[in-house]
Amino acid sequence: MALQDVCEWQALDTQGASPHLPQMGVWAVPRGCDPQTFLQIHGPRLAHGTTTLAFRFRHGVIAAADTRSSCGNYVECPASRKVIPVHQHLLGTTSGTSADCVTWYRVLRRELRLRALREGQLPSVAGAAKLLSVMMSRYRGLDLCVATALCGWDRSGPALFYVYSDGTLLQGNIFSVGSGSPYAYGVLDRGYRYDMSTQEAYALARRAVAHATHRDAYSGGCVDLFHVRESGWEYVSRNDAWVLYSELQKLPGPEKEEEEKATPDRAGEGGEPSAGPGPGPAPAPGDSRMPAEMETL
C-alpha cells in the first residue's frame, strides 16, 4: 500500500488554475538562458501598494495602517497586519515587500535582544533605527524593498524614525509610506498638532487612512491603530475602512461649522451690508470627531 493511500494524500492538480505563482523552475525560458537571470530581467513586475502612517505628539506616537496586501491586481490578503511589534516600547509600520519586511523585523528583534543581554538595557529608538539602517544598507541594489517607520518611547520620550532599505534614516514628527501616502499626508498636514489630545490623535489617524483607502486602489480592508505610550505600546482598534469612511462623510466639515456660526448680514463701514466672500471650498468630509460606536478589539 502506497504512503499516499495511508495518509489519504492527493497530489495537487497542476493543470488547473492556481492563485499562486509557479516556482522558478516551472517558468519556460529560452534555451541556454539561466532561469534566475532571465526572470530578473524579463520577469513580471508585480506592483504592490499600501498606506501606513505614524506621527509623534505629546502623549506618545500613533501608528496606523490599512490591512490589504496586494500582488499586482490580486488582493492576496484583506486582513494582514502591517504594524509589527519589536518589543514592549517599540513597533514599526511596514511597507514594501511583505517577506522582506517580516524577515528584517525578525533580524532587528534578534539583534536588539542580544544587545539587551550584553548591555543590560534595550537600545534607544534612535539606536534601533540606526542599527536597522546599517544592516539593510549592505544589500543596496539587490531588489530589497523595505520602508518602515519605527515608533517608540525611550528615556528621551516619544521618538519616530523613518528607515528605507537603501540605508536612508530620517527623524521627524510625521511620516506616511506607501502608494496611499499622498492622500494620507493631505489629511495629516491639515489636522496635525503636537499638543492634540489622545482622542483627537486617534480620530486623525483613522481619518487619514480611511481617506487614503478610498482613493488608492492598492489600499483597503480595515484600519489598524496602535498607540505607543510611556508604559508600552497598545493595540487600540481595528475598524472597517469603508464603514469608517462612510461615517466620516456624514460628519460636518470645519468650514461648514464656521459658516453657521458667522453672522449672515454684517454691516459695512458705510452702514450698508457688506458683501462677504463668495462661496468657499466644499467642506471637508470629516473632522476630528468620531462615531461612538466604533468596534474595538
Side-chain angles (χ1 to χ4, degrees), residues 53-58 60-62 149-151 158-162 170-176 185 188-189 192-196 204:
L53 63 86
F55 59 85
R56 188 171 68 100
F57 72 121
R58 65 175 181 174
V61 185
I62 297 295
L150 284 174
C151 318
L160 177 61
F161 290 86
Y162 168 78
L170 301 173
Q171 182 180 9
N173 288 333
I174 304 176
F175 288 114
S176 182
Y185 268 127
L188 290 173
D189 289 342
Y192 172 78
R193 301 190 325 274
Y194 184 81
D195 59 346
M196 70 177 70
L204 178 62

Side-chain angles (χ1 to χ4, degrees), residues 5-84:
D5 296 332
V6 176
C7 301
E8 297 181 357
W9 175 83
Q10 294 182 356
L12 296 176
D13 182 14
T14 57
Q15 303 298 328
S18 174
H20 305 287
L21 292 174
Q23 299 295 326
M24 184 175 296
V26 183
W27 291 98
V29 299
R31 183 175 299 178
C33 294
D34 178 60
Q36 183 175 2
T37 304
F38 181 84
L39 288 177
Q40 288 179 352
I41 301 175
H42 304 285
R45 299 298 178 184
L46 299 177
H48 49 266
T50 183
T51 299
T52 65
L53 63 86
F55 59 85
R56 188 171 68 100
F57 72 121
R58 65 175 181 174
H59 298 295
V61 185
I62 297 295
D66 73 309
T67 61
R68 174 179 293 176
S69 293
S70 56
C71 185
N73 295 327
Y74 174 67
V75 178
E76 184 179 0
C77 180
S80 61
R81 182 65 61 82
K82 298 182 183 180
V83 181
I84 301 179

Side-chain angles (χ1 to χ4, degrees), residues 86-90 108-132 150-157 159 161:
V86 179
H87 56 71
Q88 184 180 1
H89 290 84
L90 181 66
L108 178 63
R109 190 181 297 118
R110 179 196 65 194
E111 293 297 326
L112 293 181
R113 177 58 177 164
L114 290 175
R115 285 202 173 189
L117 292 175
R118 287 195 296 261
E119 302 173 3
Q121 62 181 3
L122 287 168
S124 63
V125 180
K130 182 64 176 180
L131 176 62
L132 181 61
L150 284 174
C151 318
W153 193 301
D154 53 21
R155 292 175 295 276
S156 61
F161 290 86

Side-chain angles (χ1 to χ4, degrees), residues 165-184:
S165 49
D166 63 355
T168 301
L169 175 60
L170 301 173
Q171 182 180 9
N173 288 333
I174 304 176
F175 288 114
S176 182
V177 188
S179 57
S181 60
Y183 310 106

Side-chain angles (χ1 to χ4, degrees), residues 81-296:
R81 182 65 61 82
K82 298 182 183 180
V83 181
I84 301 179
V86 179
H87 56 71
Q88 184 180 1
H89 290 84
L90 181 66
L91 50 79
T93 65
T94 58
S95 178
T97 305
S98 299
D100 291 342
C101 293
V102 172
T103 300
W104 279 102
Y105 264 93
R106 288 178 179 175
V107 174
L108 178 63
R109 190 181 297 118
R110 179 196 65 194
E111 293 297 326
L112 293 181
R113 177 58 177 164
L114 290 175
R115 285 202 173 189
L117 292 175
R118 287 195 296 261
E119 302 173 3
Q121 62 181 3
L122 287 168
S124 63
V125 180
K130 182 64 176 180
L131 176 62
L132 181 61
S133 172
V134 170
M135 290 191 300
M136 292 195 300
S137 64
R138 303 170 185 171
Y139 298 87
R140 184 186 295 127
L142 298 179
D143 289 337
L144 180 65
C145 186
V146 178
T148 179
L150 284 174
C151 318
W153 193 301
D154 53 21
R155 292 175 295 276
S156 61
L160 177 61
F161 290 86
Y162 168 78
V163 183
Y164 188 59
S165 49
D166 63 355
T168 301
L169 175 60
L170 301 173
Q171 182 180 9
N173 288 333
I174 304 176
F175 288 114
S176 182
V177 188
S179 57
S181 60
Y183 310 106
Y185 268 127
V187 178
L188 290 173
D189 289 342
R190 179 175 182 176
Y192 172 78
R193 301 190 325 274
Y194 184 81
D195 59 346
M196 70 177 70
S197 66
T198 301
Q199 293 304 319
E200 288 176 337
Y202 291 171
L204 178 62
R206 291 191 184 106
R207 186 166 71 250
V209 179
H211 278 267
T213 58
H214 181 71
R215 295 296 181 183
D216 179 39
Y218 294 105
S219 303
C222 299
V223 179
D224 279 341
L225 184 63
F226 287 76
H227 185 186
V228 183
R229 305 173 183 267
E230 185 176 5
S231 58
W233 61 267
E234 174 189 356
Y235 182 33
V236 179
S237 66
R238 168 174 285 192
N239 304 107
D240 185 271
W242 173 248
V243 174
L244 184 59
Y245 181 81
S246 301
E247 293 292 337
L248 290 172
Q249 289 292 96
K250 300 175 183 178
L251 297 177
E255 291 94 342
K256 185 175 180 181
E257 293 180 351
E258 292 176 1
E259 290 178 2
E260 293 177 353
K261 294 178 181 179
T263 305
D265 48 359
R266 178 179 296 175
E269 295 180 357
E272 297 294 333
S274 60
D287 60 2
S288 60
R289 295 179 297 171
M290 295 298 298
E293 60 276 8
M294 283 298 173
E295 176 186 0
T296 304

